[in-house]
Amino acid sequence: MREFAMRAILLGLGLTVAAGPSVAAQPLPAYTAAVDSIFAEQKRTAGPGCAVGVSRDGQIELARGYGLADLESGALIGPVTIFNIGSTSKQFVTFAIQLLADEGKLRLDDDVRRYLPELPDLGGPIRISHLMHHTSGLRDYASLLSMTGWRGGDQFDEARVLALIAGQRRLNFEPGRAYLYSNTGYVLLATIVTRVSGVPWEIFAAERIFGPLGMTRSSVRGNPFEIVKGRALGYSPSGRGAWRLDQPNHAIVGSTAVMTTVEDLARWTGNYWNPVVGNRRLIERMRERAVLASGDTVSYASGITVDRYRGVDVLHHGGAGGYRAQLLQFPGDRVGIAVLCNGGNANPDRLARLVADRVVTGLGPVPELRTAEPVAAEEAAALIGTYRDPSNDALIRVTQTTNGLTMQGGAGGAIRSLGAERLLMGDSEVRVERGSRGEPVALVVGDGGTRYLRQAPAATEPRQLSRYVGAYRSGELDRTWWVELRGSELWLVQRSLAPIQLEPVFEHGYRAAGTTVRFVMSRAGRATAVLASNGRANLVEFPRVSE
């Protein structure tokens, strides 16, 4: 370990160069003014901003910075300013896995317990490829932590995350049966790289990827308190034009923690077109999308999403936190577009696509908005209510606002009528299923046909609410929740945290700070357990503690 630490220090010294003017001095392309106009807001404000890099065949065509990297010192963002790219980091760890597979040191269909024997047997093998494609069914560690009382500012490390994962006794779904984004899989992938290669993931990335590609300002930073010269600090809005620091403070790698620049990302995308590290076959495997047990293909490949934009192929992945990131790759033009921002309210995906509109050739017309009519008043009144997916307690809540019928959950947004029992909710088409009296009983959302059943309203009278009062404990999380009745309101109490009022949503179902809390009832009408779900960790059981 002493040797690893010394090598990490030496590599770190070479990888953390202070921001300054780009060494790639060259004539500016004709689209420079158009790109500058896209980032005009970031340029003119004395706040966080963004860097943008446009490359072709791995060669930088344009690299610009707008706004401040550090609000205290007034340091400006430039082409070599270093950003934490959040989940955009995921493609690097899958690339490492592919390298090890090419070397015969692992197979993508290996059971992960071969390398991580501390994980529980959850009824069937979880393959390395399941982790890469978010089809493992493993609950997301951040979602699980939130159920233990963790809040965004609390510190945690890899040991705590691995212990939390090892304590799980259920999956969100059977491996390979569905797709659900889970950071857990990528923490485990980084651990597998470390155990198979014999060197920490941070060193592997530096020696096997960043170094050979000339990504001299890139590194994996698992220590949130380490000094990184030349980096932008992350911020979030705190109201009335003010900002507060919003820096990652956890020691987690694999799912996040790559620090890099727009210029270094150009070298990374260039490896896709002309491989220096890896080979053409490996690059093609990176783009292979996940195929579910049903035969359906999802858009997620190995740490990247394979998609279409205005009629052309695009590979992309974003990242979030106090930072925001987006990396687009257009194989047809061999163009890469990186937008890295240090303001938590930035939208780098929109910015990157606006840049693409001015840079990428062969784009088709901007898709026209689908024509849809307002929902008739009588139909709107009938649709209002709560709908639930029984497999994971995901909710759609249809409400009437001054702007018309809207939905919360799913794609979100305004609801419009397409006629013939079809609705448009945000970007998703929805089919209405009706009962024997013509009343809406279910909403079937999207091409995959996720079915949300209409729910009866939640109890609100104290006599009914008293059925839920008691203590509930999850062995998987090693946490106890207390449900208390205070007047006519239910409250969720956790140790060392402020109580949370439970908002009534559907029969036996309530909401608490983004988590759906559903009480499991006995035939005698008494709650026997709580099932908690918050999107990426679902149906976590808290059985009632015996009184």
Side-chain angles (χ1 to χ4, degrees):
M1 287 305 295
R2 181 179 301 171
E3 179 186 355
F4 291 154
M6 181 57 67
R7 290 159 68 192
I9 291 170
L10 293 174
L11 285 162
L13 289 173
L15 294 172
T16 54
V17 179
S22 170
V23 297
Q26 58 186 15
L28 295 175
Y31 56 75
T32 300
V35 171
D36 284 344
S37 68
I38 293 170
F39 293 89
E41 181 178 349
Q42 287 79 15
K43 184 176 182 179
R44 68 171 175 261
T45 58
C50 303
V52 59
V54 180
S55 61
R56 201 176 303 268
D57 273 324
Q59 301 299 312
I60 282 283
E61 286 188 348
L62 181 70
R64 309 278 271 182
Y66 312 89
L68 299 180
D70 183 338
L71 301 190
E72 294 183 6
S73 71
L76 298 174
I77 293 173
V80 294
T81 299
I82 296 168
F83 292 79
N84 184 322
I85 61 171
S87 288
T88 309
S89 307
K90 287 181 168 64
Q91 56 202 280
F92 292 97
V93 76
T94 53
F95 191 85
I97 290 287
Q98 299 280 11
L99 284 174
L100 293 171
D102 258 9
E103 294 165 2
K105 296 180 178 178
L106 57 77
R107 297 185 306 174
L108 301 185
D109 63 354
D110 281 342
D111 187 332
V112 299
R113 296 182 72 239
R114 176 176 179 180
Y115 310 100
L116 302 164
E118 64 267 42
L119 295 186
D121 182 351
L122 296 173
I126 297 174
R127 313 290 182 187
I128 289 177
S129 59
H130 290 146
L131 303 182
M132 297 164 68
H133 294 144
H134 298 299
T135 57
S136 69
L138 286 166
R139 293 160 170 164
D140 186 272
Y141 70 79
S143 297
L144 290 171
L145 282 170
S146 71
M147 292 183 187
T148 69
W150 169 80
R151 295 296 177 261
D154 299 342
Q155 295 179 29
F156 60 94
D157 58 18
E158 182 183 18
R160 182 179 179 190
V161 168
L162 291 177
L164 189 65
I165 298 167
Q168 297 299 295
R169 295 296 176 263
R170 288 186 59 182
L171 299 169
N172 281 328
F173 49 81
E174 183 181 341
R177 293 286 179 183
Y179 165 88
L180 182 61
Y181 195 93
S182 175
N183 288 293
T184 295
Y186 277 75
V187 175
L188 299 182
L189 287 172
T191 305
I192 290 172
V193 171
T194 294
R195 294 184 181 182
V196 170
S197 69
V199 298
W201 161 233
E202 296 93 323
I203 302 297
F204 186 98
E207 293 186 341
R208 299 292 307 277
I209 301 174
F210 302 145
L213 293 180
M215 299 173 66
T216 58
R217 294 181 176 87
S218 298
S219 60
V220 176
R221 298 286 176 167
N223 180 356
F225 306 110
E226 187 175 357
I227 300 299
V228 180
K229 295 181 179 180
R231 71 170 163 182
L233 297 177
Y235 300 92
S236 286
S238 61
R240 297 185 178 181
W243 299 90
R244 63 175 179 85
L245 277 171
D246 190 0
Q247 291 283 110
N249 68 341
H250 54 75
I252 300 299
V253 297
S255 60
T256 182
V258 168
M259 308 283 288
T260 189
T261 71
V262 294
E263 289 195 345
D264 273 6
L265 287 174
R267 298 176 178 94
W268 167 247
T269 58
N271 196 61
Y272 272 73
W273 325 129
N274 301 296
V276 173
V277 180
N279 51 52
R280 178 57 53 191
R281 182 183 59 185
L282 186 155
I283 297 299
E284 290 304 318
R285 288 204 309 271
M286 288 287 290
R287 300 174 184 173
E288 291 177 358
R289 298 185 296 163
V291 179
L292 303 179
S294 64
D296 293 335
T297 301
V298 300
S299 61
Y300 205 87
S302 293
I304 52 176
T305 298
V306 179
D307 211 343
R308 300 276 289 175
Y309 177 66
R310 292 183 56 184
V312 302
D313 292 335
V314 63
L315 314 176
H316 62 88
H317 206 298
Y323 299 89
R324 293 286 189 272
Q326 182 57 269
L327 178 61
L328 305 180
Q329 299 180 58
F330 291 90
D333 275 8
R334 296 190 170 196
V335 163
I337 299 171
V339 175
L340 309 180
C341 305
N342 65 331
N345 60 347
N347 187 342
D349 181 66
R350 182 183 68 85
L351 295 168
R353 290 170 190 264
L354 289 173
V355 174
D357 291 342
R358 292 154 175 82
V359 172
V360 178
T361 62
L363 293 177
V366 176
E368 294 183 4
L369 294 176
R370 298 180 66 179
T371 58
E373 301 295 328
V375 179
E378 183 177 351
E379 173 65 2
L383 286 168
I384 291 172
T386 299
Y387 302 79
R388 180 175 66 93
D389 179 351
S391 70
N392 56 20
D393 279 356
L395 301 177
I396 286 177
R397 301 168 72 180
V398 178
T399 60
Q400 182 71 51
T401 71
T402 55
N403 295 322
L405 205 61
T406 62
M407 69 172 286
Q408 297 173 319
I415 300 176
R416 311 279 284 177
S417 174
L418 294 171
E421 303 296 349
R422 294 182 304 126
L423 303 171
L424 191 63
M425 291 186 175
D427 296 326
S428 297
E429 188 169 316
V430 177
R431 177 168 53 86
V432 181
E433 289 187 358
R434 298 188 181 276
S436 58
R437 299 187 301 276
E439 75 283 10
V441 296
L443 300 176
V444 183
V445 180
D447 295 335
T450 304
R451 192 164 180 262
Y452 294 79
L453 305 181
R454 186 167 193 138
Q455 301 295 294
T460 57
E461 296 181 2
R463 180 180 58 82
Q464 297 171 309
L465 297 179
S466 64
R467 299 175 296 172
Y468 308 132
V469 172
Y472 302 84
R473 181 168 182 79
S474 168
E476 293 177 286
L477 302 181
D478 191 24
R479 286 295 184 276
T480 300
W481 286 357
W482 290 268
V483 176
E484 299 179 356
L485 181 59
R486 300 181 178 182
S488 60
E489 299 169 346
L490 275 185
W491 288 77
L492 177 65
V493 178
Q494 302 180 60
R495 202 178 299 279
S496 302
L497 291 173
I500 303 171
Q501 185 178 350
L502 291 174
E503 175 198 1
V505 180
F506 60 93
E507 187 175 21
H508 307 309
Y510 297 78
R511 291 283 285 177
T515 296
T516 298
V517 174
R518 177 163 60 90
F519 293 94
V520 179
M521 307 300 291
S522 69
R523 291 184 178 180
R526 182 174 179 269
T528 60
V530 161
L531 296 179
S533 303
N534 59 10
R536 294 180 180 175
N538 298 319
L539 306 182
V540 178
E541 187 174 15
F542 288 71
R544 181 189 279 273
V545 177
S546 298
E547 298 175 352

